[in-house]
């Protein structure tokens, strides 16, 4: 039986690369937070966009689709679902709104997890039947095109052991969350791997896991998922997502698994979210009249290192020569510094 212990996260030597990524993300979080008060209108727009992209992205990972128009009608107009897929989509919308609006008052415990699951599936099986742990064993399998099982990827916790496993997981999170030697950003992906390995519900485990990820990130102050869809970024790298999860679940039952592939993947997704909010933010700076002012605004407002190619993509009407001249001027004025050389060079504002 798996043991829910995260003592290994205290070993900073083994996880030096992950600690470095954690520090980068923390720095990007700080820079993004600084922009919120002076850009309230933009962040409000990003919130609206992110909800739609999250509903669409998380369901797409599970192969649940409908048209863009129907997603818009369900989310914006509260349109009644017409198909099973639309019921799933509407349920995710209910659940993500619940997490977003109530995360400060929610704890990572069985009550919260069951409540999220109930909201997720209530549209098609009924609220009173949602939030119930599985009553029969399940397997994670890769299937052929005809629906037959190609191979078994992972065998989750047995139904008879699920309730105790979930109790142990929630207790372990509470204990290690309060351990100041363990950074929350490292702990959260480990807990999600364990949740997915238990696979406590007969359906909806993947979507619940992504909602729980958002919940735990929000509670630690990492609210980037409100403005850039965390789920949509995962969907872009879906095959990698399943690969790192499988690698992190290998030998899980014997407590000999490694969480590092899934931790690193989660960090990369967070980094992509911050890169995307940076891209959307600096695009709003491209409306200035003078080309040199537009270039300067983009570079100085970027929270991640930006290349000449990135600037060209944002300002297609500006020549490379003009971009290079402005970058050289900013370096000379000590406003930015250069990272790397030649074609791989990137630029970032001096603190």
């Amino acid at each position: 039986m798996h043991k829910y212990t995260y003592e290994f996260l205290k070993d900073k030597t083994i996880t030096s690369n992950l600690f470095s990524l954690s520090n980068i993300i923390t720095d990007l979080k700080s820079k993004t937070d600084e922009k919120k008060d002076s850009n309230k209108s933009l962040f409000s727009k990003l919130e609206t966009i992110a909800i739609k992209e999250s509903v669409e992205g998380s369901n797409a990972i599970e192969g649940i689709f409908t048209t863009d128009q129907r997603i818009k009608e369900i989310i914006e107009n509260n349109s009644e679902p017409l198909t099973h897929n639309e019921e799933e989509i509407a349920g995710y919308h209910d659940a993500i709104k619940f997490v977003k609006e109530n995360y400060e008052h929610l704890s990572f415990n069985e009550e919260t997890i069951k409540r999220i699951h109930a909201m997720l599936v209530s549209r098609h099986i009924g609220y009173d039947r949602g939030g119930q742990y599985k009553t029969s064993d399940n397997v994670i399998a890769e299937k052929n095109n005809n629906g037959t099982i190609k191979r078994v990827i992972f065998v989750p916790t047995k139904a008879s052991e699920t309730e105790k496993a979930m109790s142990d997981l929630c207790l372990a999170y509470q204990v290690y969350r309060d351990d100041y030697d363990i950074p929350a950003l490292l702990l959260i992906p480990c807990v999600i791997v364990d949740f997915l390995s238990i696979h406590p519900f007969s359906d909806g485990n993947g979507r619940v896991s992504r909602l729980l990820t958002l919940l735990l990130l929000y509670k630690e102050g990492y609210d980037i998922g409100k403005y850039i869809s965390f789920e949509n970024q995962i969907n872009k790298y879906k095959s990698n997502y399943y690969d790192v999860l499988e690698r992190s679940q290998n030998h899980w039952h014997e407590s000999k698994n490694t969480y590092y592939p899934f931790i690193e993947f989660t960090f990369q997704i967070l980094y992509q979210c911050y890169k995307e909010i940076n891209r959307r933010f600096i695009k709003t700076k491209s409306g200035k009249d003078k080309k040199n002012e537009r270039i300067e605004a983009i570079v100085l407002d970027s929270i991640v290192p930006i290349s000449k190619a990135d600037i060209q993509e944002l300002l297609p009407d500006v020549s490379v020569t003009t971009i290079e001249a402005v970058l050289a001027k900013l370096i000379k004025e000590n406003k930015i510094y250069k990272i790397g050389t030649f074609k791989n060079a990137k630029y970032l504002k001096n603190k």
Side-chain angles (χ1 to χ4, degrees), residues 1-18:
M1 183 176 291
H2 183 81
K3 296 178 181 178
Y4 302 93
T5 176
Y6 307 108
E7 288 291 328
F8 70 95
L9 292 175
K10 296 181 181 180
D11 191 341
K12 293 180 174 60
T13 301
I14 294 176
T15 60
S16 58
N17 183 50
L18 296 177

Side-chain angles (χ1 to χ4, degrees), residues 56 59-67 83 85-86 89 235 238:
E56 188 174 20
N59 283 287
I61 295 169
E62 310 298 331
I64 301 168
F65 300 96
T66 190
T67 64
T83 65
N85 275 10
E86 289 187 5
I89 287 165
N235 189 42
K238 183 166 65 173

Side-chain angles (χ1 to χ4, degrees), residues 38-84:
S38 56
N39 296 276
K40 290 180 180 179
S41 177
L42 173 61
F43 276 84
S44 179
K45 290 178 182 177
L46 289 176
E47 252 187 293
T48 301
I49 295 169
I51 283 284
K52 178 180 179 295
E53 290 183 346
S54 290
V55 171
E56 188 174 20
S58 192
N59 283 287
I61 295 169
E62 310 298 331
I64 301 168
F65 300 96
T66 190
T67 64
D68 286 344
Q69 181 60 31
R70 285 298 295 153
I71 289 178
K72 183 178 180 181
E73 290 171 357
I74 290 168
I75 292 174
E76 296 181 7
N77 304 327
N78 201 26
S79 175
E80 282 299 313
L82 302 176
T83 65
H84 178 80

Side-chain angles (χ1 to χ4, degrees), residues 28 33 35 181 187 235-236 243 259 268:
L28 292 175
D33 288 345
K35 296 182 180 292
D181 291 328
L187 177 61
N235 189 42
K236 290 179 181 179
D243 176 63
Y259 294 90
Q268 292 293 346

Side-chain angles (χ1 to χ4, degrees), residues 204-223:
N205 294 281
R207 284 167 289 157
V208 171
S209 76
R210 291 183 282 280
L211 291 164
L212 291 176
T213 302
L214 292 178
L215 170 64
L216 296 179
L217 287 171
Y218 290 171
K219 291 187 76 66
E220 296 299 331
Y222 293 87
D223 63 353

Side-chain angles (χ1 to χ4, degrees), residues 232-343:
N232 199 40
Q233 292 298 321
I234 292 176
N235 189 42
K236 290 179 181 179
Y237 303 95
K238 183 166 65 173
S239 60
N240 193 23
Y241 166 73
Y242 285 120
D243 176 63
V244 297
L245 177 59
E246 183 177 354
R247 286 161 55 198
S248 288
Q249 288 178 323
N250 193 27
H251 300 299
W252 180 85
H253 289 283
E254 301 84 13
S255 299
K256 294 180 180 179
N257 61 305
T258 173
Y259 294 90
Y260 296 133
F262 197 80
I263 297 174
E264 187 166 2
F265 176 81
T266 301
F267 282 10
Q268 292 293 346
I269 293 299
L270 279 171
Y271 180 70
Q272 290 300 324
C273 286
Y274 282 108
K275 279 187 67 177
E276 180 59 21
I277 200 170
N278 183 69
R279 187 187 71 81
R280 296 188 190 186
F281 181 82
I282 61 180
K283 279 191 74 173
T284 66
K285 300 294 182 179
S286 63
K288 293 181 179 290
D289 292 332
K290 295 182 179 179
K291 293 179 180 180
N292 61 334
E293 289 181 355
R294 291 157 64 193
I295 297 167
E296 186 169 332
I298 283 175
V299 177
L300 295 180
D301 277 318
S302 181
I303 62 172
V304 298
I306 190 168
S307 67
K308 286 186 285 186
D310 294 330
I311 300 169
Q312 260 198 305
E313 183 182 347
L314 292 162
L315 303 174
D317 62 318
V318 179
S319 69
V320 176
T321 303
T322 303
I323 293 172
E324 289 175 342
V326 173
L327 290 173
K329 173 179 171 289
L330 291 174
I331 289 175
K332 186 176 181 180
E333 294 172 350
N334 202 32
K335 291 182 178 179
I336 64 171
Y337 62 96
K338 186 177 180 181
I339 304 169
T341 56
F342 304 109
K343 291 183 179 180

Side-chain angles (χ1 to χ4, degrees), residues 8-148:
F8 70 95
L9 292 175
K10 296 181 181 180
D11 191 341
K12 293 180 174 60
T13 301
I14 294 176
T15 60
S16 58
N17 183 50
L18 296 177
F19 273 93
S20 176
L21 280 170
S22 175
N23 289 334
I24 291 171
I25 291 167
T26 300
D27 182 54
L28 292 175
K29 170 191 175 298
S30 177
K31 290 178 178 177
T32 302
D33 288 345
E34 289 174 5
K35 296 182 180 292
K36 285 182 186 177
D37 289 340
S38 56
N39 296 276
K40 290 180 180 179
S41 177
L42 173 61
F43 276 84
S44 179
K45 290 178 182 177
L46 289 176
E47 252 187 293
T48 301
I49 295 169
I51 283 284
K52 178 180 179 295
E53 290 183 346
S54 290
V55 171
E56 188 174 20
S58 192
N59 283 287
I61 295 169
E62 310 298 331
I64 301 168
F65 300 96
T66 190
T67 64
D68 286 344
Q69 181 60 31
R70 285 298 295 153
I71 289 178
K72 183 178 180 181
E73 290 171 357
I74 290 168
I75 292 174
E76 296 181 7
N77 304 327
N78 201 26
S79 175
E80 282 299 313
L82 302 176
T83 65
H84 178 80
N85 275 10
E86 289 187 5
E87 288 173 340
E88 302 266 28
I89 287 165
Y92 198 87
H93 182 233
D94 293 341
I96 196 171
K97 279 187 64 180
F98 171 73
V99 170
K100 177 185 165 187
E101 294 170 2
N102 299 281
Y103 70 90
E104 292 178 309
H105 312 292
L106 297 173
S107 299
F108 183 82
N109 56 33
E110 290 183 84
E111 179 185 357
T112 296
I113 293 169
K114 288 180 177 181
R115 190 172 182 183
I116 289 173
H117 182 263
M119 298 190 78
L120 192 71
V121 303
S122 64
R123 296 280 190 140
H124 60 92
I125 69 169
Y127 192 90
D128 57 331
R129 293 175 57 199
Q132 304 296 316
Y133 291 148
K134 62 191 177 186
T135 55
S136 58
D137 296 343
N138 48 11
V139 297
I140 312 302
E142 181 182 354
K143 294 183 179 180
N144 295 306
N145 293 333
N146 61 5
T148 58

